[in-house]
Amino acid sequence: MKKLLFVFMALAGFAFAAEGGSNGEILLAYSAIAAGIGLGIAALGGAIGMGNTSAATISGMARNPGVGGKLMTTMFIALAMIEAQVIYTLVVALILLYANPFLAVLGL
């Protein structure tokens, strides 16, 4: 994990290599990095959650095929809730990239 963090910080240096950059440009670069990392983590977590939900549903249907319909309905609701969390992260990432509220704080 330390190596991955070091690589991210080393690559972030290229974003700030331009001389004479203002605080707004630095903030936009950090916002882009945060949006990418946050969306990646959300997608990874959503994929793991969906996989666990599907595996548990399949296991439950194999043990008791009579409740398969109820389990499928519950699984689809759970998958929608998991996917909603990833979509919320996408919305926050798009706000950071295109309508950054932190730039208004700096007056840019």
Side-chain angles (χ1 to χ4, degrees):
M1 189 59 144
K2 290 180 185 177
K3 292 179 184 178
L4 187 63
L5 181 63
F6 178 73
V7 169
F8 281 137
M9 290 301 137
L11 293 177
F14 288 111
F16 309 121
E19 292 184 20
S22 67
N23 288 337
E25 292 175 2
I26 292 173
L27 185 62
L28 286 175
Y30 273 133
S31 296
I33 292 171
I37 291 172
L39 196 55
I41 291 171
L44 177 69
I48 290 171
M50 287 181 183
N52 287 340
T53 303
S54 300
T57 302
I58 292 169
S59 175
M61 287 173 56
R63 292 179 183 187
N64 190 0
V67 295
K70 290 182 182 181
L71 285 177
M72 288 292 284
T73 303
T74 306
M75 180 190 75
F76 287 135
I77 292 171
L79 290 178
M81 296 295 174
I82 293 168
E83 188 64 30
Q85 298 299 315
V86 179
I87 292 172
Y88 293 151
T89 306
L90 175 65
V91 169
V92 170
L94 291 175
I95 289 172
L96 280 176
L97 291 176
Y98 296 111
N100 199 329
F102 300 117
L103 290 177
V105 172
L106 290 176
L108 299 174

